[in-house]
Amino acid sequence: MFKTRTSFAFRSVILLAALLIAAPSWAGTATPAQDGAKRPFTNQQLYQWGAPRTFEGEALREVAFPLGGIGTGTVSLGGRGNLRDWEIFNRPGKGVNLPFTFFALYCEQAGHAPAVRVLEGQLTPPFTGADGYRRQEVPGLPRMEKAVFHGEYPFAWIDMEDGRLPLKVTMEAFNPFLPLNPEESGLPGAIIRFKVKNLSRTPVKVTIAGSILNPIGFEGEGTIDGVGHDKFGGNLNEIRRSGTLSGLSMSSTKIKPAAPAFGTMALATPWKAITYLSHWVRGDWWDDLQIFWDDFRADGRLKDLDEKSPSPDKRSDMGTLGLLAEIGPFGEVTLPFILSWSFPNFVDYFDIVQDQRGGMFKNHYAERFADAWASAEYLQKNLPALEKESRRFQDVFFHSTLPPYILDALSSQAAIARTTTCFWLTGGQFFAFEGCNDKSGCCPLNCAHVWNYEQSVAFLFPSLERFMREVDFLNNTKDDGEMVFRTSLPLWSGKYWKFRPAADGSLGRIINLYRDWQISGDTAFLKKVWPKAKKVLEYTWKEWDKGRDGLIEGEQHNTYDIEFYGPNSMIGGFYLGALLAGSKMADAVGDQAEAKVYREIFEKGRANYDKLLWNGEYYVQKYDKVMEKKYQYGDGCLSDQMLGQWLAMVAGLGRFLPEDRLKTTLGSIYKYNFMTDFREFSNGQRTYALNDERGLLLCSWPRGGRPPLPFVYSDEVWTGIEYHVASHLIYEGLIEEGLSVAKAVRDRYDGLRRNPWDEIECGHHYARAMSSWGLLPALTGFSYSGVDKRLEFAPKINPEDFRTFWSTGSGWGRYTQKSDGEKGASYSLDIESGAQVLSSFAVTLPPSLRGKEARTVFFSIRAGSQVIAEYRISLPPSAGGKNDAVVIGKLEDLSYKLVIRQDGDRLNLNWASPFLLQAGWTLEFKPGF
Amino acid sequence: MFKTRTSFAFRSVILLAALLIAAPSWAGTATPAQDGAKRPFTNQQLYQWGAPRTFEGEALREVAFPLGGIGTGTVSLGGRGNLRDWEIFNRPGKGVNLPFTFFALYCEQAGHAPAVRVLEGQLTPPFTGADGYRRQEVPGLPRMEKAVFHGEYPFAWIDMEDGRLPLKVTMEAFNPFLPLNPEESGLPGAIIRFKVKNLSRTPVKVTIAGSILNPIGFEGEGTIDGVGHDKFGGNLNEIRRSGTLSGLSMSSTKIKPAAPAFGTMALATPWKAITYLSHWVRGDWWDDLQIFWDDFRADGRLKDLDEKSPSPDKRSDMGTLGLLAEIGPFGEVTLPFILSWSFPNFVDYFDIVQDQRGGMFKNHYAERFADAWASAEYLQKNLPALEKESRRFQDVFFHSTLPPYILDALSSQAAIARTTTCFWLTGGQFFAFEGCNDKSGCCPLNCAHVWNYEQSVAFLFPSLERFMREVDFLNNTKDDGEMVFRTSLPLWSGKYWKFRPAADGSLGRIINLYRDWQISGDTAFLKKVWPKAKKVLEYTWKEWDKGRDGLIEGEQHNTYDIEFYGPNSMIGGFYLGALLAGSKMADAVGDQAEAKVYREIFEKGRANYDKLLWNGEYYVQKYDKVMEKKYQYGDGCLSDQMLGQWLAMVAGLGRFLPEDRLKTTLGSIYKYNFMTDFREFSNGQRTYALNDERGLLLCSWPRGGRPPLPFVYSDEVWTGIEYHVASHLIYEGLIEEGLSVAKAVRDRYDGLRRNPWDEIECGHHYARAMSSWGLLPALTGFSYSGVDKRLEFAPKINPEDFRTFWSTGSGWGRYTQKSDGEKGASYSLDIESGAQVLSSFAVTLPPSLRGKEARTVFFSIRAGSQVIAEYRISLPPSAGGKNDAVVIGKLEDLSYKLVIRQDGDRLNLNWASPFLLQAGWTLEFKPGF
């Protein structure tokens, strides 16, 4: 690499038009309600960026932060520091806790009696139970006085303090999370560390001991309520050492490799000074805990026994690994644990095709790791790199100027890809339920109409998303274009679920295919899938648009699990989006004739749609039997009415309906469907928002005409819909409305009412909630085409001082823009990982500089402190019209030509040929005014 | 009856000695800690009498107030007004809720849109669940803004308000509760009323509609999560009218009379203006609720359909009964419902003798009522009398000057007799578990060592208690005196559980037998049972006191489910109490020789006990293998060490250990075992108190010597033990200590942490907690012998202005004493129900009059305003020594002679022959000074 320094003329251009979207700047004061509109939050609440919320006291009760990789299952970190909901047994496992599994602290200081604590915050009410508080959670042992939880997915921290101890303990837990890298984001384990700070001037001896039940034999159904369980017996705990790692290795002599419950677990550490018990004393009554605890509390040292006899039949054992340290005055030590597991056998207990049930598959992670110890070793060996990139993600993502509840909405729901809602089988086959019942996935699999809404996987792990598209079109779509909207295992069996196709599912997948093609820039992928995608569009003409007038009619099964009839805003919008996407994809693969047909139908369709369905405030359903035929919406204001259009926005297809009507429609959805109080509302359906909560209804009938039995979810509140409407409101410039809707969701998930890392719809970790990622492009103005190699930002909030994470199919990083009053601004693009090839890059002026012309410009590319290329330019006043400033440079033997243009409030960088920005590089760009 | 008026001389006597027990008078200020003693409460908190606590907000969450009679099962009134935990199916049923079962309000007022509300307070967090909040609880329907719960067992009230309604609604619910009258306290149903007050000047039309699921077919296992259930089908709802009653009658065409699940239910009303639906529309999805609610909210009237087709297979129906009323300006109306049930078939799913399981019995209530409608009719017809006496009980009991938490401790736990912990079969056979698991009784049956502690049934329903004694001795005791401490069904089968006898169980039952003989005065009962009781005592000499030195030795199974060895305070105390009781009972039945033997062993025993086991602070266990043999207590300070002595105190046997040592021992138990904070305590056993709660440990080792594995419950906290220790502390004059222990329990059961009407030990509604009734004699100084016809009171708190409930085997009423400064005092005894035969009646002077001599006396017997007998006397100063004032009177042709004596601070009334006080009579007694 070499450094280039060039001076050149930069000629600014006059303003052409103000951007249509108003970007309000946070003023730090409350907004008065405008024309009676609902403003449940102050501007400060909406726009303020900064630290994310923390949880304490009773708000810790519902917190369960999932720890685990893609397709590995998870164990959740409870708000108090407890490990809960062990979902590593190839099933969801809400309420599955491992008895007598906890971390404990021993603290000894000269002049004081030794103290012991379970390293958890105090238990929270209720304390009911027919035998008192569940004994297997050791409720009678002392705990830390105070715990404060704070999560920035994938990292969670709990600060623990106790007025009677000279220590502060911070628990940190995470599983490596590397955007665009599913392999390294798919490791079956968790890093759990305790940073212990001595707050006194006297040295302190500490032990932190992790105790854990060997659960092998448990098949994931029911719960484990004690050491005894019908499936236990032959559980073997051993103390194992390899390389720098030592710890507890757990296996079973009874469960054979071919059994569904087969597996291994490990609790290991690279720490040298350890104390341990391969298993607690097997006594009568409660001797085991009594003897363990008395041993531990006496001096913080265990008996260091590695007794290798397997457990008796129908019971298992707890083992303990303790880490010893001495901490000097005001000193600090970090004691690290690695928890890992391997339960390779994945049973298809759920198949949508009943006679396919019972098949056994292998988890993808089991292809990489022979057992839990192997994955612990891998984690240990590769942790520096894995952790560095995970922390870089956390740093870039959370040190953003997007409001914390938005970051929380994005990241907490992106975690769904790493819960039991998804799984990942050998050969990298990625599948997903809609969500999870407490103990089973539901409903199977890859449900096209639910997964339509999802954006997180598409942007963070696009290779997995593309695999889902291949399944949608290549496995699930019959030759006539009928897409079966649920997947049966194994793939390619040719067995289909016998049920009518979902109109929204089929058409939405075409828009999503366009998105995935754009994110990846991979036209080979498109070509592979396209022939079937084309069939799906053609199927529409057979079933739903026989007249090819661009209006959907007939029986339209959809994501509300019922059928709509007649032209309607929701399915019609999907169709328009699919036609538009189809026409562009057809063009790209050379199907010009098809492209033309799609475009013609699309043009007819949008005119018809606009004409037929518009009621002056929003778009409706036109069906003459709305009041008689059950489960329609008719004149209702449907929150999903613009869903197809929103998918098109995120995919980069832009608006296909009139912009003014879109804005009016979104405004109507907010006005009519966003509830700021549910206390007088009557909803006989399912309840996701109540009392004084706020939330967006699926539908309302502000002008009357509510059918006696409207569609079955009409009065419900789904976070997946709230997020896409919030995103769409922001796309259409209704910023505060969009932010309000998103904030309302996160306020409902406050740790007291619900778990912030588990948004519920028809199941836990419900995939639809991954629409939240759509808030990122809407708020940042991020737009990317890997096909055109075009990247743009146009922040909608905090534009004077803006930072955000971004990701594309090939890289991810940080985007920053900052104004320096009226004098200038700086823009920078950091490539944190991967690489980014660009032909064009565009940004916008913040409000303080709107209408101004740049007089100087500084442009550079750096790799850390090393300058790759750098240009400083003085600019003459503009003479009007558009003129390009051109930079010719050379980088690693490649010449490049960069054209810089101000086009109104938009600053464009265009490379004559695609330009490669490498990981670690920063592109910086500073116009002066 | 005629009126007698007599004047006579009253000669007071000089003070002999101050009573040993100090009765502090509440000073309204905080007590400073005395000599470092634990004083977690202020005097105001301990002594203040007044209104009981109320519950609101999140503290409503755990509240479940049982509604039901003896042996009928219960449904609980939840804190918010919801009916929960339907335990009417001959099993406990925690978490068994009837879907779509709720009361709803329609409110219409000119000028306002009609409003509807579910008549419940707002739902409380968490709002989790894989499908949102449980839909069957209609979480999406509007509820009352505020609910305040208040319970005075058997009555519960919920005040409901809503800022958007012109109404205040008070829900009242109860089941008739008549002390001494198990029949009328054993009715299978609940009275539920809504008092609706119009807070405005405009008339209001209201409907209150009760909807209920027909649950017939459900067998009590698992839960009912919707209208569909495998056991449902053929459920028949009908609108029925008979006499003044109309309502919903629920039955099943599928479940036959011999089936365990057979039964009927009714929701009825005497209200004339009704509206109804025999069953909701059976639709798809959620049509049923939608159609019902839309119908109801439209005008508060339902379709008045009595459609009689049974439900389709595997589903049931909801039906609704609505009561219509119009309420004038500021007017009020009370809308009454009667809920009743009949599930006659009681299955022995639990028998302690395994091969006896599966037997089917009939509930006693089914002998009285053919079906639920019949019991509704009975309730309706007899309600005036039933309610009058229930309210009189509530009035007398709660308008006491005992502190509200004490009344709460007494009454809430007396309710256990009317939960599924107990059952009542044909022929009046009353049985009981120890307590209840969520869905099954546990453990069976009539466990002697657990039921030992219980006092509530003994004093409130003594005939049932006597039946238990007959079972203990006549059914469960073998010919050699081995008492099997768990009962198998049916009685008299001769089948016994094969397990060693419980030493505490066997011996405690002898003390309790003495108590029950004293309460009843029924020597015929004693004579029936005595031969076997004698055998039980003799069994001791074979097993536990071979040397007949009065010290228990050998292997002693006991209530801690383990065996103690060697002489020890706990079992030794039981033995002494049993010997003392035995000697008195032997005397009474004419076994003078036996009586002499018992007394000799008793005298040896108490000397040996005192000598061997006293350690200067308390009594211990002497066993040379305490540190090796598991589960002993050795030098521990056992909370139960004086249990036998306490049983003797309540039974009226008095102290058999030195009074100073008793007081020191009780003080030590308080000092060492009462924890005011659990945050640094380590307990690996079960947990009933934690965090900042307070509670009494079962044992501690203040002088060291804790065995490595002490008995398995030693670190636990049991309310049944806390209450008896509290009572015993008070008996021994440690008033504040005793009150503190009792208050600590009730503070733990605060609605947020636990249900105030469900104290938990090894199960819900745990029988041991009925030791709480022992607080009543301890605090009031109540002492009664039906044998001697002697009744005494000597209040320990608030003696200057004292009121209390009392009950004996033949009657119950109110006792009042009130001082009038230094001038005088008045004492009165109201016979509220039954009758009371007395030979002697004694009261004490309050502290303000201590040491004074009465100068005048007024004595009367009244029946309401009617004077039965009345005397006024002027008294000369005492000449010293004891002199009796004598009244000779005549009542209904019977002459009586009453001797009045002041003996120190004690005032005694002695009748020369037993004197009958009838129901409704008040004996009043006013000395002047």
Side-chain angles (χ1 to χ4, degrees), chain B residues 740-864:
Chain B
S740 295
V741 171
K743 182 163 167 53
V745 179
R746 295 309 292 167
D747 283 0
R748 298 202 304 269
Y749 286 83
D750 65 354
L752 186 68
R753 301 156 191 253
R754 301 175 189 84
N755 176 11
W757 287 273
D758 176 12
E759 288 186 8
I760 289 164
E761 189 196 306
C762 186
H764 300 276
H765 309 292
Y766 201 75
R768 201 187 318 265
M770 286 192 281
S771 63
S772 71
W773 202 265
L775 288 162
L776 192 68
L779 281 165
T780 61
F782 167 92
S783 172
Y784 175 71
S785 167
V787 177
D788 302 338
K789 297 166 184 59
R790 177 183 48 78
L791 177 61
E792 300 180 18
F793 290 95
K796 300 285 175 44
I797 59 170
N798 302 321
E800 309 290 338
D801 185 359
F802 186 80
R803 290 190 300 282
T804 187
F805 168 88
W806 58 267
S807 66
T808 70
S810 66
W812 61 265
R814 187 194 319 252
Y815 169 73
T816 307
Q817 72 176 48
K818 198 165 167 39
S819 65
D820 181 19
E822 298 197 345
K823 288 182 270 177
S826 63
Y827 299 88
S828 65
L829 185 74
D830 296 305
I831 317 297
E832 295 284 353
S833 183
Q836 193 56 56
V837 175
L838 288 181
S839 287
S840 73
F841 178 59
V843 301
T844 54
L845 294 183
S848 60
L849 294 168
R850 293 270 158 90
K852 294 189 186 296
E853 289 178 5
R855 308 301 300 266
T856 60
V857 76
F858 171 81
F859 173 84
S860 76
I861 295 172
R862 284 197 171 77

Side-chain angles (χ1 to χ4, degrees), chain B residues 91-266:
Chain B
R91 267 182 184 270
K94 297 303 171 206
V96 174
N97 296 325
L98 294 195
F100 306 104
T101 295
F102 58 96
F103 290 93
L105 167 76
Y106 169 85
C107 166
E108 182 185 318
Q109 194 174 34
H112 296 86
V116 279
R117 293 287 185 279
V118 173
L119 277 171
E120 298 177 6
Q122 304 281 306
L123 295 167
T124 50
F127 301 138
T128 50
D131 287 317
Y133 201 103
R134 298 171 293 282
R135 198 183 147 260
Q136 59 269 30
E137 296 179 24
V138 298
L141 300 186
R143 283 172 162 72
M144 297 296 281
E145 199 169 23
K146 191 173 178 188
V148 179
F149 186 99
H150 157 211
E152 298 184 3
Y153 191 82
F155 290 89
W157 301 273
I158 304 171
D159 288 323
M160 303 187 200
E161 288 182 80
D162 193 309
R164 290 155 295 186
L165 294 182
L167 303 174
K168 179 180 172 179
V169 180
T170 301
M171 180 178 191
E172 176 183 72
F174 73 100
N175 174 291
F177 183 82
L178 291 71
L180 313 185
N181 189 341
E183 288 294 330
E184 298 300 50
S185 303
L187 303 174
I191 306 299
I192 299 171
R193 294 194 186 109
F194 296 90
K195 187 171 77 182
V196 187
K197 191 170 166 52
N198 183 353
L199 305 173
S200 76
R201 62 182 71 249
T202 316
V204 181
K205 272 190 191 171
V206 300
T207 307
I208 292 188
S211 296
I212 189 163
L213 177 90
N214 178 332
I216 296 154
F218 178 67
E219 290 170 353
E221 291 183 274
T223 53
I224 313 175
D225 297 325
V227 177
H229 191 287
D230 275 355
K231 305 280 183 177
F232 288 166
N235 293 74
L236 178 64
N237 288 359
E238 296 168 280
I239 301 301
R240 193 162 162 182
R241 295 170 203 269
S242 71
T244 60
L245 212 61
S246 29
L248 261 177
S249 171
M250 288 170 269
S251 59
S252 168
T253 59
K254 174 170 142 185
I255 309 296
K256 302 302 171 203
F262 177 75
T264 52
M265 275 179 71

Side-chain angles (χ1 to χ4, degrees), chain A residues 58 61-62 100 115-117 122-133 135 138-143 145 162 164-165 283-287 289-291 293-294 297 436-438 560-562 630-631 677-693 706 708-710 712-716 748 752-755 760-764, chain B residues 58 61-62 100 115-117 122-133 135 138-143 145 162 164-165 283-287 289-291 293-294 297 436-438 560-562 630-631 677-693 706 708-710 712-716 748 752-755 760-764:
Chain A
E58 291 203 38
R61 193 179 52 213
E62 298 302 323
F100 306 103
V116 279
R117 293 287 186 279
Q122 305 281 307
L123 294 167
T124 50
F127 301 139
T128 50
D131 287 317
Y133 201 103
R135 199 185 146 258
V138 298
L141 301 185
R143 283 171 162 71
E145 200 169 22
D162 193 309
R164 292 155 295 186
L165 294 182
D284 303 315
W285 286 91
W286 308 325
D287 299 356
L289 175 61
Q290 186 77 60
I291 294 170
W293 191 248
D294 286 343
R297 72 202 284 217
C436 302
N437 290 329
D438 286 355
Y560 309 131
D561 301 331
I562 47 76
K630 284 185 185 179
Y631 312 141
D677 190 324
F678 282 83
R679 280 176 291 191
E680 290 202 289
F681 187 65
S682 284
N683 162 26
Q685 305 168 3
R686 295 171 306 176
T687 300
Y688 304 100
L690 67 162
N691 295 359
D692 59 349
E693 296 183 322
R706 179 182 162 113
L709 291 168
V712 291
Y713 304 132
S714 55
D715 298 328
E716 299 187 357
R748 299 201 306 268
L752 186 69
R753 301 157 190 252
R754 302 174 188 86
N755 175 11
I760 289 164
E761 190 196 304
C762 185
H764 299 278
Chain B
E58 291 204 38
R61 193 179 51 212
E62 298 302 321
F100 306 104
V116 279
R117 293 287 185 279
Q122 304 281 306
L123 295 167
T124 50
F127 301 138
T128 50
D131 287 317
Y133 201 103
R135 198 183 147 260
V138 298
L141 300 186
R143 283 172 162 72
E145 199 169 23
D162 193 309
R164 290 155 295 186
L165 294 182
D284 304 314
W285 285 91
W286 307 325
D287 299 355
L289 176 61
Q290 185 78 60
I291 293 170
W293 191 249
D294 285 343
R297 73 203 284 216
C436 302
N437 290 329
D438 287 354
Y560 309 131
D561 300 331
I562 47 76
K630 284 185 186 179
Y631 312 141
D677 190 324
F678 282 83
R679 280 175 290 191
E680 290 202 289
F681 186 66
S682 283
N683 162 26
Q685 303 166 6
R686 296 170 304 176
T687 299
Y688 304 102
L690 67 162
N691 295 358
D692 58 348
E693 296 182 323
R706 178 183 162 113
L709 292 169
V712 291
Y713 305 133
S714 55
D715 298 328
E716 299 186 358
R748 298 202 304 269
L752 186 68
R753 301 156 191 253
R754 301 175 189 84
N755 176 11
I760 289 164
E761 189 196 306
C762 186
H764 300 276

Side-chain angles (χ1 to χ4, degrees), chain B residues 400-413:
Chain B
S400 161
T401 57
L402 294 175
Y405 63 89
I406 292 289
L407 298 173
D408 190 36
L410 294 167
S411 63
S412 64
Q413 301 317 300

Side-chain angles (χ1 to χ4, degrees), chain B residues 357 426 614 729:
Chain B
R357 288 188 194 166
T426 40
W614 178 250
L729 281 161

